[in-house]
Amino acid sequence: MSGGRSTRLRKANRAGGYVRISEDPTGSEAGVTRQKEDVAARAEQLGWTVAKIYEENDTSAYKRRRIRKHDGRSVWRVIRPEFRQMLQDYEDGVIDGIIVYDQDRLARQPRDLEDLIDLVDHFKRPVVGVTGALDLMTDNGKAMARVMVAIANKHSADTARRVSRGRFQEARTGISRPGIRAFGWKADGTLEPEEAKVLHDAALRFTFGESWAGLTSQIIACGISTVQGGKWHLKTVKGMILNPRIAGIAVYNGQFEEIDGDADTETDSVEPVINAGITDPRELAMRDSAGDYVKGQWQPILTVEEWEAVVDEYERRRSGKEFTTQNTRKHLLSGFLRCGRPREDGTLCGKPMNGTVTTRRTGKVPIYRCPGPIHGGCGSSQRNMAKLDELITDLFFAHLEQNAPDPKNRLEEASPTSPAVQELEQVRSDLQRFRHGMRDRTISATSFFEVVPALEAREKELVAIVGRTRRAAADRARVLRTPSEVRNEWERATAAGRRALLGQYLQAIVVHPSQTRGPVFDHSTIEPLWKPPAA
């Protein structure tokens, strides 16, 4: 028998204690606190010293996430940073033993257990459990540990499957059953007015050009907390606004990110998030046999049209087809300014002017400046940033007042009664009928393959047509806002959001050579080029 008792339980002067609990919705940390107390008691019993605690509260040992490798391929791994740090410290000799409450807390995926077993086989440092059931120093102990992990893994999978199947059935009927109420709604599915307004305003500001980071900062500034009192994160805001639930649409996509079969009870978290493999938020939406959205039994915060406008804007930014604040500089006029100084051949420099800082006798002064010759510019044009920002802001609102649109001039939206939408519904209905007929063998394979490919091609064309119409309507609605509406949005927006607002009306700003010297700002040399007014 390999590994005697003295080897297994040799004294560890620098033991590591690993504690973990799958769910802690209240953030009380009561579970991991109890485990730490038990680990300390077990260490005292063994005469060990706990040098380091590896704590993972509210962390699953079962749920895997998709990770992109450097070669572009994908692997699925459980994300447990403290567990991985413990293995690294074990290998490096930072700790010379591990105490864990029970094997159930240590691993629920065989891959994680095997990683630890490999280290124990090589370094022969003890790993023990508080309950005494864990023993990785002997062949029998390792075999039992592998059996126990396989059982725990199956239990987690069974729990996840039951919860997922229940959620699927509920989604089909439009029932919402969050374990904790979702932000924006009361427990009975009616709206929580203050929270709903935060989400509604954030969604509209996103369609008007605000960035995700800007929206998150503005929500934080409102002083309203999350349901559980936690911190706001960009990912949280993004998941809430892109989720079909915000438009009253039932959500199911086959595998919910929020389901954690590692939990002791069949509960799920507050907000479903977009899975790593889902790139189109519409794929999260539940549809009926006719292809229509299944409406949930809760009040919507956005209309379906407003939510689809958000998704269209999201996809447009991801594809790089529209002006976006992402990856642009922090200054208001970044991306708009063009140097208008003539070159020797008579052409204009035309190089974008960047925000920077210059040092003068009065101190450091922010300016916009044309880059030097090595960067393709002339290096001779510069303007005071604060003064130019103020001038363009004044010109922007003067332009809005002078070109106030006719509120009656609206582009017809892709309404449920429009021909394209009606044809799309009919095509989807025909496809459903042929697919069911093929399944039930009431339609021959020959008929199926003669008709279905053409229907699928037409469905794709109609989806594109409806999408373009909705995007055009959203674009027209943006530029048909009144000056007061734009000003209100401007006042609430971050610098990135204000750049996006300018981008809806402004093509570029040409900065011609100044005719004055010294601190006098020559307003006459600034030439904004506006986009044509909406027809």
Side-chain angles (χ1 to χ4, degrees):
M1 182 175 180
S2 63
R5 178 177 175 80
S6 61
T7 302
R8 292 199 308 273
L9 300 180
R10 69 171 184 263
K11 186 174 182 179
N13 294 318
R14 295 167 299 165
Y18 181 74
V19 297
R20 182 188 67 82
I21 192 168
S22 303
E23 289 188 348
D24 184 13
T26 64
S28 64
E29 300 186 355
V32 291
T33 298
R34 289 192 298 269
Q35 290 182 33
K36 284 188 283 188
E37 293 171 352
D38 292 339
V39 165
R42 179 60 170 160
E44 183 178 0
Q45 181 184 30
L46 295 172
W48 292 10
T49 300
V50 178
K52 189 173 182 180
I53 290 290
Y54 302 87
E55 178 180 329
E56 291 185 311
N57 190 48
D58 203 19
T59 303
S60 171
Y62 170 75
K63 184 168 56 180
R64 296 174 297 173
R65 298 185 184 278
R66 186 181 186 183
I67 299 174
R68 289 285 188 182
K69 299 171 66 176
H70 294 302
D71 61 3
R73 296 189 178 276
S74 300
V75 294
W76 281 259
R77 296 288 186 269
V78 175
I79 307 299
R80 287 197 288 163
E82 287 297 306
F83 176 77
R84 288 294 155 185
Q85 183 62 52
M86 181 178 68
L87 298 191
Q88 181 178 322
D89 289 349
Y90 182 95
E91 181 177 0
D92 294 342
V94 175
I95 56 176
D96 47 21
I98 294 174
I99 306 176
V100 64
Y101 179 77
D102 188 78
Q103 180 178 322
D104 186 69
R105 301 297 91 198
L106 186 67
R108 278 180 176 251
Q109 289 290 352
R111 182 181 290 107
D112 290 344
L113 176 65
E114 294 302 327
D115 287 345
L116 179 56
I117 288 176
D118 288 343
L119 293 175
V120 173
D121 285 345
H122 183 78
F123 294 101
K124 308 298 183 184
R125 301 189 187 114
V127 178
V128 301
V130 170
T131 61
L134 181 62
D135 176 9
L136 300 183
M137 300 292 286
T138 67
D139 290 341
N140 287 341
K142 284 181 283 192
M144 182 58 66
R146 288 177 173 126
V147 171
M148 296 302 294
V149 164
I151 293 174
N153 183 273
K154 184 178 186 302
H155 170 73
S156 296
D158 290 343
T159 300
R161 185 172 58 255
R162 288 195 302 271
V163 175
S164 181
R165 184 63 184 85
R167 290 294 301 272
F168 174 71
Q169 181 61 33
E170 290 176 344
R172 289 182 62 183
T173 57
I175 297 174
S176 174
R177 186 182 56 85
I180 302 174
R181 75 170 184 88
F183 185 88
W185 291 271
K186 298 177 182 178
D188 62 359
T190 59
L191 297 182
E192 182 67 43
E194 186 178 7
E195 295 177 356
K197 186 176 187 304
V198 167
L199 290 183
H200 183 271
D201 290 351
L204 294 187
R205 288 201 296 272
F206 178 76
T207 61
F208 294 157
E210 185 61 87
S211 66
W212 291 117
L215 293 177
T216 305
S217 298
Q218 291 170 19
I219 291 176
I220 293 173
C222 289
I224 190 168
S225 62
T226 64
V227 172
Q228 299 181 17
K231 295 181 179 179
W232 285 102
H233 298 284
L234 185 151
K235 182 179 179 181
T236 306
V237 174
K238 187 176 182 180
M240 287 180 175
I241 293 176
L242 290 178
N243 198 301
R245 178 186 174 85
I246 198 172
I249 301 171
V251 177
Y252 178 76
N253 70 318
Q255 181 178 356
F256 284 84
E257 278 285 332
E258 77 273 17
I259 292 175
D260 184 358
D262 189 17
D264 296 328
T265 58
E266 295 181 14
T267 60
D268 35 67
S269 62
V270 184
E271 279 296 329
V273 297
I274 296 178
N275 285 354
I278 298 295
T279 58
D280 184 354
R282 293 183 181 88
E283 294 182 29
L284 291 169
M286 188 76 175
R287 293 180 182 271
D288 59 22
S289 59
D292 298 323
Y293 291 132
V294 175
K295 296 300 180 66
Q297 296 181 12
W298 59 89
Q299 291 181 307
I301 293 176
L302 300 179
T303 66
V304 172
E305 291 73 22
E306 287 174 335
W307 175 72
E308 290 192 328
V310 169
V311 175
D312 288 338
E313 177 66 16
Y314 165 70
E315 292 176 341
R316 184 158 43 186
R317 296 189 194 186
R318 289 178 66 245
S319 64
K321 295 179 180 178
E322 185 72 7
F323 178 84
T324 170
T325 61
Q326 186 176 5
N327 297 326
T328 59
R329 298 179 178 87
K330 60 184 179 181
H331 307 298
L332 177 65
L333 302 182
S334 296
F336 294 108
L337 297 173
R338 297 292 184 271
C339 178
R341 184 173 294 275
R343 296 182 184 273
E344 293 182 358
D345 60 2
T347 61
L348 298 184
C349 173
K351 191 68 177 176
M353 297 174 65
N354 304 318
T356 185
V357 175
T358 186
T359 302
R360 295 175 181 166
R361 287 180 297 178
T362 56
K364 293 184 176 180
V365 179
I367 62 171
Y368 292 109
R369 181 166 60 194
C370 180
I374 63 172
H375 296 294
C378 66
S380 300
S381 296
Q382 66 179 42
R383 289 294 188 278
N384 181 283
M385 183 180 294
K387 293 180 179 179
L388 186 52
D389 287 352
E390 182 179 4
L391 172 63
I392 293 301
T393 300
D394 291 342
L395 293 176
F396 174 51
F397 285 106
H399 173 78
L400 292 177
E401 294 290 347
Q402 295 169 6
N403 296 274
D406 183 352
K408 298 180 181 179
N409 187 11
R410 299 285 178 177
L411 185 69
E412 181 183 357
E413 298 185 7
S415 67
T417 58
S418 67
V421 171
Q422 289 182 330
E423 184 182 353
L424 178 59
E425 291 177 351
Q426 183 60 51
V427 167
R428 284 175 169 167
S429 176
D430 292 343
L431 279 171
Q432 193 74 13
R433 179 167 54 83
F434 270 88
R435 287 164 181 161
H436 286 174
M438 183 69 174
R439 180 196 63 191
D440 300 335
R441 298 185 179 181
T442 58
I443 294 178
S444 68
T446 301
S447 299
F448 181 87
F449 289 110
E450 283 179 351
V451 176
V452 168
L455 286 175
E456 290 176 336
R458 183 56 181 164
E459 179 189 31
K460 187 174 181 180
E461 292 175 357
L462 290 169
V463 167
I465 292 170
V466 172
R468 284 196 300 269
T469 305
R470 284 174 174 152
R471 286 193 294 272
D475 290 342
R476 182 63 61 86
R478 281 200 291 263
V479 298
L480 289 181
R481 286 172 291 167
T482 65
S484 61
E485 289 174 333
V486 178
R487 187 176 290 277
N488 289 336
E489 183 61 36
W490 180 274
E491 294 298 330
R492 292 187 296 174
T494 62
R498 290 179 177 182
R499 282 203 310 275
L501 279 172
L502 286 175
Q504 295 167 18
Y505 300 88
L506 189 62
Q507 290 180 332
I509 304 166
V510 181
V511 180
H512 296 286
S514 178
Q515 303 301 313
T516 63
R517 292 184 178 274
V520 179
F521 190 89
D522 190 351
H523 295 70
S524 65
T525 60
I526 307 302
E527 181 186 2
L529 303 178
W530 305 103
K531 292 181 178 179

